[in-house]
Amino acid sequence: MAKVPQKYRELASRLIFEQRHLKEVQRRYEEISRVHYELPAPLDQWEWIRPFRSTAPYNALRGATRALANRVETLSIHPITVGRAAPLDDSKAAALLANRWERTMQWQLAQAGQRYMDLRAGAVYSAALYDEVIVQLIHLPTEFKAREIKGWKADAAYRYGDWAAKIINPQIMYVEYSDFMPEVVMMLSAKSGLDILRRWGKVNVEEDEQYVEYDIVSADGRVVFVTLGEKPDIENNEDAVDISAKAELLLGPEPWLKDDAGDQVPFLPFICAVGGSAVELDPEHARKPLFYPVVQSEQWAMANIAATLAYSQQITLASQPRGAISGPGSDKVTIDYTDPTQLLRLTPGQTYQQLQSQGLDKGLIEIFDRHESALRESLISDVLVTGRPLSGEQAYASYNLQVQQAIASLGGVREVSQDALAKTYTQMLLIAHYTGADITAYSAKGDKYVIDSEDIDPFSIHLEVELRTDVPADRLQRVNSGATLIQVFGWSRKDAASYLGESDPEGIFQRAKLESIEMADLQAQLQRMAAERSGQYQKDVMAAAQALHQQMMEQAQQQTEQFQQQPGMEQGMPMGEAGLPGGQMNNPAAGGAIPVEGAGGLATFEGATGTTRGGEELA
């Protein structure tokens, strides 16, 4: 049996002792989130008591998670991060590459979220409940190679990408922070001997026994050992705790992940983000989650006790007499409950008196209402819980302002969640660099994006994550503000897109340019087609006009020949009325000339009569 080095047992003992009060208050936070409350003695021993538990804390926790985790986070990678792959003097190329990295990493993390639970919602929930988020990021190819996992299990796991990320409950995590960063992380978990054998192979444990596993990672490396029992096997006193010397070593000390030189990589396998105040010395008071004032003031406990007494008393008195009968033989009067009218049949001399019901105890109800009101004020605004305005019907702008102010009260939860997600993305790049594994993603159109591990500089990773709130007019307000910034203040469209929370402003601008070029080309083609169609139309019209003219000329020629071939036409043209030329050749309706034009001198009075208008003969 391998013995656990003493310094690691002492380290585990110290962490457990120093954070014992923090773990106790965290357990109380968890009980509230589960709406679990045990009445104090002797209330819990009275048979007529029916416990009441307010759901206000749970509703607040659900409202905070819904408000901050309903929309996909925005990842912004600084162009300096891609300096190895894109020249820094070309800011445009670096920005475009940074946007591709953002899409690639978000795609992989979204795939990982399909394995069990959405990482974003889990981070917000943990930040709201504990003011602390701890994430374990696993690179499947590296993990499966170390644990020799193959076959259908590996194939099924790879369907969701190369990464797995899960939120760890802070109750089982013991993190030691320095002024610079987390220095030591220890995870305690209860496991059966069978689970340990499956995970670590042939070790000195019994299948049917229960053990506590200690997984410690620090700058010195990783150590894993177990102690027998369902809880840590410690000797507890007011000054310190001691881990049992019977602990069984399972792994280490050794690096949890090696670099090219065989040394441990310069980061821990757990992502730790914590909020609160650094002014507080005690860890249980340094963190300020949503339920901190609820636990410290015991508002939830007081509200539950008051409501329990009021409701239990009323339930107990539900079968109390509601009337009194007096007079001779009153003890023999009964009520027929099978009759819906429940009539009383009284004899002469008997009277019935209706007893007044007392109802709920007004004093207890007032106590409950006051504590419930204080409880809601200590948590989050009801507008995030119910989605309804605080004061009935009101203008949309007023309602939106209420939502914005309620969201602002969740600033601490939001900051811790964003910090945890940003550190998760950072560690993804670090693991890819030190393992030599590329990060691959695909777009909806099937385009492939790859982050080459050689292009990752572990000392130049700069990125940010923003959780966009799910509020009624937030998006519309940002759009209007972005348009104002462009028109009034001269902002670029790329900066306005970043202000709107778009994770790929460069890509949006490039796609807009391509779309503009395609539209301009389409317009040019349409104009060219219209011009061609217009010219062809004119040609068709001219050809039709010429054909019609030719047809008319041929018809006129045929008519002339026909007229000339008629009897009596050899001496001249046929004459019409008033001595004018007749026939179809001088018929305007048939396309011929006007008769006057073909009459010559006969068209005048003198030519037709041979005399002047005064009766003299013409010479």
Side-chain angles (χ1 to χ4, degrees):
M1 180 176 67
K3 293 185 178 181
V4 179
Q6 183 178 356
K7 72 172 185 178
Y8 290 105
R9 289 192 290 111
E10 292 178 350
L11 174 61
S13 300
R14 180 171 56 83
L15 290 175
I16 293 175
F17 177 75
E18 292 177 351
Q19 300 186 24
R20 64 192 187 281
H21 298 307
L22 173 63
K23 300 309 170 185
E24 176 60 30
V25 75
Q26 286 178 341
R27 280 190 289 271
R28 297 177 66 183
Y29 295 151
E30 184 182 60
E31 289 177 354
I32 295 176
S33 70
R34 296 177 177 179
V35 198
H36 177 73
Y37 177 72
E38 295 292 341
L39 291 171
L43 291 180
D44 59 342
Q45 301 174 3
W46 297 347
E47 294 182 358
W48 60 275
I49 289 293
R50 295 295 179 266
F52 174 91
R53 300 175 181 91
S54 172
T55 60
Y58 170 78
N59 293 334
L61 188 62
R62 182 184 59 178
T65 305
R66 180 176 60 243
L68 296 177
N70 270 11
R71 300 181 62 186
V72 177
E73 72 275 3
T74 300
L75 173 63
S76 301
I77 297 179
H78 195 282
I80 196 175
T81 306
V82 301
R84 285 188 177 181
L88 293 179
D89 56 349
D90 190 351
S91 59
K92 183 177 181 180
L96 286 172
L97 184 58
N99 292 155
R100 286 196 290 271
W101 281 30
E102 293 166 1
R103 293 195 297 272
T104 303
M105 297 172 66
Q106 284 189 294
W107 186 86
Q108 278 289 353
L109 208 59
Q111 291 291 106
Q114 298 180 18
R115 298 182 185 275
Y116 175 62
M117 183 179 294
D118 181 61
L119 180 65
R120 178 177 60 258
V124 174
Y125 185 90
S126 182
L129 183 56
Y130 300 108
D131 203 13
E132 185 174 11
V133 180
I134 299 177
V135 184
Q136 186 177 21
L137 184 65
I138 302 172
H139 184 232
L140 268 62
T142 302
E143 182 74 9
F144 288 177
K145 181 179 179 181
R147 298 176 57 180
E148 298 182 352
I149 297 178
K150 301 177 182 178
W152 70 268
K153 186 175 182 179
D155 295 338
Y158 280 128
R159 289 206 309 266
Y160 301 101
D162 295 337
W163 301 86
K166 62 179 181 179
I167 303 293
I168 308 297
N169 192 322
Q171 291 188 62
I172 65 173
M173 301 299 298
Y174 293 78
V175 185
E176 185 173 60
Y177 294 90
S178 69
D179 293 337
F180 311 109
M181 58 187 174
E183 298 282 355
V184 180
V185 178
M186 180 177 69
M187 180 169 65
L188 265 63
S189 53
K191 293 185 177 180
S192 67
L194 182 60
D195 291 336
I196 295 174
L197 289 172
R198 289 174 177 173
R199 174 67 177 85
W200 300 104
K202 294 182 180 179
V203 292
N204 188 23
V205 297
E206 299 293 335
E207 288 188 8
D208 55 350
E209 295 289 349
Q210 292 294 319
Y211 295 86
V212 177
E213 183 181 272
Y214 302 75
D215 191 340
I216 303 176
V217 186
S218 64
D220 297 332
R222 184 185 181 194
V223 173
V224 182
F225 60 91
V226 295
T227 59
L228 185 63
E230 297 181 357
K231 296 182 179 180
D233 185 9
I234 57 177
E235 297 177 2
N236 192 358
N237 55 53
E238 296 181 357
D239 299 324
V241 295
D242 295 322
I243 297 295
S244 172
K246 298 179 181 179
E248 174 72 16
L249 184 65
L250 302 180
L251 177 70
E254 64 180 37
W256 79 270
L257 181 64
K258 299 178 182 180
D259 59 13
D260 295 336
D263 300 326
Q264 178 167 288
V265 295
F267 58 94
L268 300 179
F270 296 99
I271 296 103
C272 304
V274 64
S277 172
V279 177
E280 295 282 359
L281 299 179
D282 298 329
E284 66 270 20
H285 297 296
R287 293 160 176 77
K288 297 291 191 296
L290 283 181
F291 296 164
Y292 178 80
V294 175
V295 170
Q296 297 300 322
S297 65
E298 297 188 352
Q299 293 172 346
W300 194 56
M302 292 298 296
N304 288 340
I305 292 174
T308 295
L309 290 173
Y311 294 155
S312 297
Q313 185 180 35
Q314 187 64 24
I315 293 174
T316 303
L317 299 178
S319 59
Q320 65 179 343
R322 300 182 181 181
I325 300 175
S326 60
S330 59
D331 57 333
K332 297 180 180 180
V333 178
T334 60
I335 301 176
D336 184 7
Y337 289 99
T338 62
D339 184 357
T341 60
Q342 297 183 12
L343 295 176
L344 286 174
R345 293 174 175 82
L346 305 179
T347 60
Q350 294 178 341
T351 59
Y352 175 81
Q353 180 182 2
Q354 181 75 36
L355 299 179
Q356 184 177 0
S357 176
Q358 296 180 355
L360 292 174
D361 191 309
K362 295 182 179 179
L364 290 175
I365 290 300
E366 184 177 356
I367 293 175
F368 167 73
D369 290 340
R370 291 191 178 186
H371 282 286
E372 182 81 355
S373 177
L375 186 63
R376 294 178 183 276
E377 292 178 358
S378 300
L379 297 170
I380 64 174
S381 175
D382 284 345
V383 72
L384 294 181
V385 177
T386 64
R388 296 191 296 268
L390 298 180
S391 57
E393 297 183 2
Q394 56 186 185
Y396 180 79
S398 300
Y399 171 65
N400 188 65
L401 179 61
Q402 292 176 0
V403 176
Q404 294 284 3
Q405 291 175 339
I407 290 292
S409 65
L410 297 175
V413 176
R414 188 178 188 179
E415 291 296 329
V416 176
S417 305
Q418 292 177 163
D419 185 31
L421 293 174
K423 290 178 178 177
T424 302
Y425 283 114
T426 300
Q427 188 166 117
M428 183 183 293
L429 292 174
L430 290 174
I431 292 177
H433 169 76
Y434 285 105
T435 59
D438 299 338
I439 303 177
T440 306
Y442 298 90
S443 69
K445 297 181 180 180
D447 299 329
K448 185 177 181 180
Y449 302 100
V450 178
I451 300 177
D452 192 334
S453 61
E454 297 296 329
D455 294 337
I456 301 173
D457 185 354
F459 300 102
S460 298
I461 299 177
H462 300 278
L463 54 85
E464 295 179 352
V465 169
E466 179 188 3
L467 288 175
R468 295 179 291 176
T469 55
D470 186 14
V471 297
D474 182 69
R475 181 72 175 177
L476 179 61
Q477 287 181 350
R478 287 200 178 197
V479 170
N480 294 334
S481 300
T484 302
L485 292 173
I486 294 174
Q487 298 174 2
V488 178
F489 297 98
W491 275 35
S492 69
R493 297 181 183 271
K494 298 177 185 177
D495 293 336
S498 299
Y499 173 80
L500 290 175
E502 297 295 340
S503 60
D504 187 16
E506 290 289 341
I508 292 175
F509 185 70
Q510 289 294 325
R511 290 191 292 273
K513 287 174 58 178
L514 291 175
E515 184 177 349
S516 299
I517 294 173
E518 291 176 355
M519 291 300 298
D521 183 65
L522 177 61
Q523 291 295 332
Q525 292 183 17
L526 292 175
Q527 292 177 0
R528 186 163 54 251
M529 292 174 60
E532 293 175 355
R533 295 287 179 87
S534 177
Q536 184 65 37
Y537 177 75
Q538 292 179 357
K539 291 180 181 180
D540 293 343
V541 171
M542 292 298 296
Q546 291 178 358
L548 179 62
H549 179 71
Q550 182 67 27
Q551 182 181 3
M552 293 174 61
M553 292 296 294
E554 291 176 356
Q555 291 179 353
Q557 181 65 29
Q558 293 176 0
Q559 292 175 356
T560 302
E561 293 176 354
Q562 293 175 359
F563 290 146
Q564 292 178 352
Q565 295 175 1
Q566 293 180 1
M569 292 298 173
E570 295 81 359
Q571 303 298 323
M573 297 175 60
M575 301 301 291
E577 297 179 0
L580 296 178
Q584 293 297 325
M585 290 297 294
N586 294 283
N587 184 7
I594 300 175
V596 176
E597 296 180 353
L602 297 176
T604 62
F605 177 83
E606 290 81 357
T609 60
T611 61
T612 64
R613 295 184 182 276
E616 298 179 356
E617 293 184 0
L618 295 175

